[in-house]
Amino acid sequence: MASDQENSQDANAPDDTSEKEITRGITIMKSIIRDRDKAVTYNVNWNADNQLIGSNAAKLASYIGTLVRMHIPITATRWSNKELGSAKDKIWTEILRSFNIEDTTIRKKYILQLAGKRHRGWRTFLTNKYLKDKEKKFVEYDPEYPVKYAIFITEEEWVAFVDQRRDENFKKVSATNRERASNPTYAYKKGRLGYARLEEKILDETKSDATSLPPHVLWKEARVGKDGTVRDDVQHIYDECETLSQSISTAEDQENRSVLSRALNVPEYPGRVRGKGHGCTPTSLYKNPRRRNPSNQEVMETLQALQAQVLQLQKDNERYRCMEKCSSQLKETSEKASINCQNKFPEGISSCQLYLSSPTYRLVGKGKVHNTSGDLLHHRPLPDGHLKVSVDVVLDKDALLPIPDIVSETTLLRDAIGSFVAWPLDLIFIDDETPTKPASKDNGILRHNESVASQKEVFAQGSQQLSQKIGSRQKNKRDLPVTSLPKKGAFVPRYQISLETLVDSSDMATAGAIRLLDMEEDIFGYSCTETIGKEDLEHIFRHQELGVGVIHTYIRFLYDNFMRGNDQLSNRFRFVSSSLVNKALICREPDSCREYLVKRFMASSTNNLYLWPYNSGCHWLLLAIDPLKEVVYFLNSIDGEWTNYPDMKQLVDTSIKVFRSQRQARVPRTKSSNITWIKVQCPLQRNGIDCGYFVMRFMREIINMNQIEIPITYFDEYKCAHYTRLQLEQIKEELCQYFIEKRLISI
C-alpha cells in the first residue's frame, strides 16, 4: 500500500517538479547561450586570494554544474583521470565564450577544481535521491532509471553507476563520511554563500579598505546563526586565535600550521587554507608556496646540480690561473725582447695590422695607415682617437667596421677593401709585411658559437702560442699587440660567467626556453609581462645587438634599485614602453602610439622626464621628453640627427601638442608650433653593436644625476668621447646580477 502511495506521489507532484526543474535548467543554459550569440559576455570578479566573487559568481557556478552534467559521465570516479582531459577542455572553452575570464593556468585550475566539486555533488545527489531511502540507507531493489535527467544520463551509464555505488567498499566509505559529517563540532551556518562571498559581504557592509580578512575571522562569522548569536565554544576558538596571532609570525604560520589549525588542534591539509574556502591556497594567501620536505629523487638531483656547479667553478678557476700565468710569461718575454706597443705612428703612409677588441680581441685585416696632419675622411674630420686607414686584406669576413661608413653605408670590413675608413689608434699596429693569404679557418672559433668558458680557454692557448712565437722571433724584434692579453687584476665578468653557468645547467639551455618578468604599472603606465628568451641572454654573453626584452629588463632594474622607495626619483623620472611605441608600430598604428604617449604624459603632475628607448628598426637611441616644458633631448650614439627619423619626430611633436590641448595650457603664438629639440653631445659608439648598451648607460647616468635638464654637452661627471668596454661591461654585470638576484634562472 505504501508502495502504491509512493508511486502515486511520483506520478503527480514529482512529475510537475521534474518538468519544472528541467525547464529551469535548460532556460538558464539557453539564456547564457542566447547572450553569447549576441556577443554579450558576463564579467566576473576575483578577490585578493584568487577566489570567485561578485554578482555573476553564482551564475557561473550554476553554469559550471550544467556543463559538468553535459560533458562528464556519472561513471567517472576520479576527477584526475587523464581520460577526462578533452571533456575538461570543452568545459573551459564553453566558459571562456560566455564569461570574461583570463585564459591563464591559475584561472583554469580554479574553474576545473570547482567543476570537480560540482561533479562529486551531482553523483552524491543521485545516490541520495535514487539509491537511498529516507533513513539514508541503500535500498535493496533496483532503482528506476531517472527519466527527468535523461538529457544528462544514458541508461547504460545509470546501470554502471548503480553497480559502482553498490560496491561494499564504497558503502563503508560512505557510512564513515556520513557519520563524520552528521554531527560537526562547529557547524557551518551560511548555506551556499561560501567563505569568499561571505568575505565580500562583510567588507561591503563595513566599507573596509581591506582586501582580505584573516581565516579565523571568517571562520567565526561563518558559524553565526540568523539570530546573530555566537556560541561560547566558537568565541573561545576565536579569542585563542587572536592571542596566537600576536605571538606567531606570518612565516611561522605558513611553515607549520595556521593560527586557526593550532587553536582547533587539527592537522593542516596540503593545498588548502582552513577558514578561507575553495580556491585559496598557501601560495595565494602567503604569496609564496608552503615548503615541503623534498623527495629522495629531488635531493639527489639537487646534489648532482651542486656538484656540477662546483666542478664548473673549479674549471673556471684553473682557466683564470692559466690566463694569468700566460700573461705573466708573455710580459717577461716581451720585456726581454724589447717588444713594446708603439705610442706614436711614423708620419706618412705605413703598412699596418688592424685589430678589433669586440667581441674578442683579434686580428681582422691588413692595410695602410695614413698619418698626415689635417687629413680628412670623406671631406669630414676624423673622430678623436682615430686615424685614416686603407683596407687591403680582410682576415675575418664577418668583422664589422669600428665606425660604419655613412657615405657608402658600409658596415662590414670586407666591403671596405680598397677604400678608406676610420680606425681606433689603440687597435692599429705597424707591420712591414702584409700577408697575402688569410689564416686557416680552423685556427679560430666563431664568436656566436663560442661559450664564455671556451673563449677563455682558447684565449689562454693563444697566449701561450704567441709567447712561443715571440721567443722564436727575438732577432726580428717586430712589434706585437701585447695589449691584447689580460693583465693581472683585469676586470673579470663574474656575474656573466655565473649566469651563463646557471643557464647551461637549467632548462634555458634548450632553444625556445623563456622566462617571464612582471612589469608593474608604475613602470610603463600599464601592467605587463616581459618575455626573456635564451637568445636574449646569449646576446648579453656574446656582446651582440640587444632586443627590447633586455632593454626593458634593465629598466626594471633601474626602477627596483634606484626609484622604488625614492619618491623624488620615482616622481621625476618615468619610462615609455618600446613595445608600444617603435618604428614598426608608428608606421602601422600611429593613432594608438599617440594615444599611449598622451596618456603617459597626462599622468604627470609636476615636471617629469620621460625616458624612451626608441628602436628605429636596426638602431637604439634615447629620447628624454619633458612634456610640460615641451623639450625633447635627443641622445644618439652614432652622431645622427633627429631629422633622420621623421616618423618618430612627428609622433612626439603631435603627442606633445595633444597633451598641451588636453591640459588646456596657454602657449605663446611664437612657440605654438615649435617644440624644442636638443641634440645632446653624448658619448659615441665605435661599432655597429653597442647602441643598446649605450642607451642603458644613458638612462642610468641621467637617473643618477637626478636632473630634469640635460646639458647639451652632457654631464661633466660622465663626459667622454666614447664609453670604454669596461663601462659597457659594468652595465652587463648589473643586468646579469639582477637576473641572478631575481632568481629568473634557477636549476
Side-chain angles (χ1 to χ4, degrees):
M1 191 69 180
S3 177
D4 293 339
Q5 290 177 356
E6 289 177 3
N7 293 337
S8 175
Q9 291 175 358
D10 291 342
N12 294 317
D15 288 344
D16 295 340
T17 303
S18 173
E19 182 178 356
K20 184 176 181 180
E21 289 176 358
I22 294 176
T23 303
R24 181 181 179 187
I26 295 175
T27 301
I28 292 176
M29 187 169 58
K30 285 184 177 180
S31 173
I32 294 177
I33 295 175
R34 190 181 300 114
D35 287 340
R36 185 190 67 197
D37 294 339
K38 296 178 182 178
V40 176
T41 56
Y42 301 94
N43 294 323
V44 295
N45 300 321
W46 306 85
N47 63 14
D49 300 319
N50 289 320
Q51 294 174 296
L52 188 65
I53 58 173
S55 58
N56 291 323
K59 183 188 291 290
L60 174 57
S62 299
Y63 186 50
I64 291 174
T66 302
L67 293 175
V68 167
R69 296 185 181 100
M70 291 176 60
H71 296 290
I72 307 296
I74 60 173
T75 55
T77 57
R78 294 183 63 84
W79 184 251
S80 59
N81 194 334
K82 294 182 179 180
E83 295 180 357
L84 299 179
S86 60
K88 293 178 182 179
D89 290 338
K90 289 180 181 179
I91 293 174
W92 177 242
T93 302
E94 290 296 326
I95 291 173
L96 290 180
R97 296 177 65 185
S98 299
F99 292 85
N100 294 324
I101 302 177
E102 303 95 329
D103 189 3
T104 60
T105 302
I106 188 172
R107 295 287 184 249
K108 183 177 181 180
K109 180 180 179 181
Y110 178 92
I111 293 298
L112 292 183
Q113 285 180 345
L114 185 56
K117 291 183 63 177
R118 292 290 178 268
H119 179 63
R120 292 190 294 273
W122 168 232
R123 284 161 52 88
T124 301
F125 167 78
L126 293 175
T127 302
N128 294 333
K129 179 75 174 176
Y130 295 100
L131 275 68
K132 293 183 179 181
D133 55 21
K134 294 181 179 179
E135 296 179 356
K136 301 300 180 183
K137 295 182 179 180
F138 284 92
V139 297
E140 299 298 331
Y141 57 85
D142 292 334
E144 295 182 359
Y145 171 65
V147 179
K148 64 180 181 179
Y149 298 116
I151 59 174
F152 302 128
I153 308 171
T154 64
E155 294 185 10
E156 292 79 5
E157 290 176 346
W158 177 251
V159 173
F161 176 73
V162 172
D163 292 339
Q164 290 177 356
R165 293 304 198 184
R166 283 184 169 176
D167 181 76
E168 291 300 324
N169 292 330
F170 174 79
K171 289 182 178 181
K172 292 180 181 179
V173 174
S174 177
T176 302
N177 292 337
R178 183 174 67 252
E179 181 180 358
R180 183 178 61 183
S182 60
N183 188 25
T185 305
Y186 309 99
Y188 177 85
K189 297 184 178 182
K190 295 303 179 182
R192 300 180 62 186
L193 185 62
Y195 280 107
R197 284 188 283 170
L198 173 62
E199 182 180 59
E200 179 188 19
K201 179 181 177 182
I202 295 173
L203 293 176
D204 289 341
E205 290 177 351
T206 58
K207 297 181 180 180
S208 173
D209 295 332
T211 58
S212 180
L213 295 175
H216 67 277
V217 175
L218 283 177
W219 182 87
K220 172 190 172 183
E221 293 298 327
R223 282 148 185 83
V224 177
K226 294 182 179 180
D227 56 357
T229 59
V230 182
R231 285 171 36 184
D232 293 340
D233 54 350
V234 172
Q235 184 64 41
H236 174 72
I237 295 296
Y238 173 80
D239 294 339
E240 188 172 350
C241 289
E242 286 289 303
T243 303
L244 287 173
S245 62
Q246 301 298 325
S247 58
I248 298 178
S249 65
T250 304
E252 293 176 327
D253 188 15
Q254 174 190 356
E255 294 297 333
N256 195 350
R257 288 190 299 167
S258 66
V259 168
L260 182 57
S261 297
R262 292 168 186 261
L264 293 171
N265 194 23
V266 293
E268 194 74 89
Y269 296 102
R272 56 168 273 189
V273 179
R274 189 181 299 274
K276 294 295 285 187
H278 170 70
C280 183
T281 64
T283 302
S284 62
L285 182 64
Y286 300 108
K287 306 309 177 187
N288 58 316
R290 291 178 179 270
R291 294 182 181 177
R292 60 178 180 84
N293 294 329
S295 63
N296 291 336
Q297 181 180 358
E298 291 174 335
V299 171
M300 292 303 299
E301 291 176 353
T302 303
L303 180 60
Q304 292 175 0
L306 291 175
Q307 290 175 344
Q309 288 185 37
V310 172
L311 181 60
Q312 184 63 41
L313 290 174
Q314 290 175 345
K315 291 181 179 179
D316 291 342
N317 188 29
E318 290 296 328
R319 289 180 184 134
Y320 285 132
R321 290 182 179 179
C322 182
M323 290 171 61
E324 291 181 358
K325 183 178 179 181
C326 293
S327 176
S328 177
Q329 291 176 351
L330 181 59
K331 183 178 180 181
E332 293 176 1
T333 307
S334 300
E335 291 175 351
K336 292 178 181 179
S338 300
I339 299 175
N340 50 43
C341 179
Q342 294 186 4
N343 297 322
K344 296 183 179 180
F345 294 91
E347 293 185 2
I349 301 175
S350 306
S351 298
C352 64
Q353 301 173 353
L354 303 177
Y355 281 77
L356 285 179
S357 59
S358 174
T360 57
Y361 204 109
R362 66 203 188 280
L363 177 66
V364 295
K366 297 278 188 174
K368 295 181 178 62
V369 57
H370 295 250
N371 187 19
T372 56
S373 60
D375 205 354
L376 300 177
L377 179 65
H378 305 307
H379 307 289
R380 300 181 63 180
L382 284 165
D384 292 338
H386 289 68
L387 284 178
K388 185 167 72 172
V389 170
S390 60
V391 181
D392 298 329
V393 177
V394 174
L395 304 179
D396 186 346
K397 62 183 181 62
D398 296 323
L400 296 171
L401 290 173
I403 298 180
D405 191 339
I406 301 176
V407 176
S408 61
E409 298 182 353
T410 301
T411 59
L412 293 173
L413 179 62
R414 66 170 182 259
D415 297 330
I417 294 179
S419 62
F420 293 100
V421 295
W423 209 270
L425 288 170
D426 57 342
L427 297 177
I428 303 174
F429 296 90
I430 301 300
D431 187 4
D432 295 334
E433 298 180 1
T434 302
T436 58
K437 184 173 70 173
S440 173
K441 295 181 180 179
D442 297 333
N443 292 337
I445 298 178
L446 291 179
R447 186 66 175 93
H448 61 273
N449 294 328
E450 183 185 4
S451 68
V452 169
S454 65
Q455 289 173 39
K456 294 178 176 57
E457 187 174 1
V458 171
F459 193 84
Q461 295 173 355
S463 302
Q464 188 173 2
Q465 295 172 0
L466 185 57
S467 179
Q468 295 172 356
K469 291 181 180 179
I470 292 175
S472 64
R473 297 183 179 180
Q474 287 183 358
K475 295 182 179 180
N476 294 333
K477 296 185 179 180
R478 293 176 180 171
D479 297 308
L480 295 177
V482 296
T483 56
S484 65
L485 294 176
K487 298 181 180 179
K488 188 173 182 179
F491 173 79
V492 177
R494 303 186 185 280
Y495 285 107
Q496 296 180 51
I497 296 174
S498 301
L499 181 60
E500 188 168 23
T501 303
L502 284 175
V503 171
D504 292 338
S505 304
S506 69
D507 62 310
M508 286 293 285
T510 59
I514 62 172
R515 288 293 186 270
L516 301 179
L517 178 65
D518 293 331
M519 307 294 286
E520 301 175 15
E521 183 177 356
D522 290 339
I523 299 177
F524 292 132
Y526 69 102
S527 300
C528 61
T529 301
E530 194 60 56
T531 303
I532 307 297
K534 177 190 176 184
E535 296 77 13
D536 295 314
L537 299 177
E538 291 290 338
H539 292 165
I540 299 174
F541 301 148
R542 309 294 174 252
H543 198 86
Q544 296 173 348
E545 296 177 353
L546 300 179
V548 66
V550 176
I551 300 295
H552 280 185
T553 301
Y554 191 76
I555 288 177
R556 174 63 192 270
F557 159 80
L558 293 175
Y559 180 82
D560 286 344
N561 290 273
F562 291 83
M563 301 168 64
R564 188 188 297 277
N566 189 325
D567 293 338
Q568 185 181 25
L569 289 179
S570 60
N571 291 331
R572 177 167 292 181
F573 298 101
R574 308 285 176 89
F575 297 100
V576 175
S577 172
S578 302
S579 299
L580 291 188
V581 192
N582 52 55
K583 180 177 177 60
L585 288 176
I586 292 175
C587 297
R588 189 169 63 248
E589 301 175 10
D591 293 338
S592 63
C593 294
R594 183 182 65 253
E595 291 173 2
Y596 168 71
L597 281 180
V598 173
K599 182 179 179 181
R600 198 78 182 101
F601 295 161
M602 290 297 293
S604 60
S605 57
T606 58
N607 275 50
N608 297 117
L609 196 65
Y610 288 81
L611 303 179
W612 173 19
Y614 173 73
N615 193 306
S616 64
C618 58
H619 174 64
W620 286 101
L621 56 87
L622 181 66
L623 296 180
I625 306 173
D626 185 347
L628 287 178
K629 292 184 178 180
E630 300 187 354
V631 176
V632 182
Y633 299 95
F634 181 80
L635 292 86
N636 191 356
S637 58
I638 60 172
D639 198 27
E641 303 291 337
W642 60 71
T643 54
N644 297 331
Y645 311 93
D647 296 332
M648 175 269 292
K649 185 178 185 303
Q650 182 180 3
L651 172 68
V652 174
D653 289 346
T654 305
S655 300
I656 292 178
K657 291 177 182 178
V658 174
F659 167 70
R660 176 201 304 165
S661 175
Q662 291 190 5
R663 68 187 182 92
Q664 298 180 349
R666 295 184 178 182
V667 180
R669 291 184 178 181
T670 56
K671 185 178 172 57
S672 60
S673 60
N674 295 327
I675 295 170
T676 304
W677 283 71
I678 298 176
K679 179 183 178 182
V680 180
Q681 299 173 16
C682 57
L684 302 179
Q685 65 188 79
R686 295 186 284 189
N687 56 35
I689 297 175
D690 290 341
C691 55
Y693 304 95
F694 272 61
V695 165
M696 291 191 294
R697 189 163 184 94
F698 290 160
M699 292 190 293
R700 190 189 196 286
E701 292 173 349
I702 291 172
I703 294 175
N704 195 45
M705 292 304 300
N706 194 15
Q707 294 181 206
I708 293 293
E709 298 180 359
I710 303 176
I712 296 180
T713 58
Y714 205 53
F715 304 109
D716 292 337
E717 291 80 355
Y718 300 109
K719 187 182 300 183
C720 61
H722 315 281
Y723 286 142
T724 65
R725 182 62 184 270
L726 177 59
Q727 289 176 301
L728 301 184
E729 288 294 330
Q730 291 171 349
I731 298 296
K732 294 165 61 176
E733 280 292 275
E734 287 180 338
L735 258 177
C736 293
Q737 182 180 2
Y738 186 70
F739 274 110
I740 295 173
E741 292 179 348
K742 294 291 289 185
R743 298 185 181 274
L744 291 176
I745 310 296
S746 59
I747 59 174

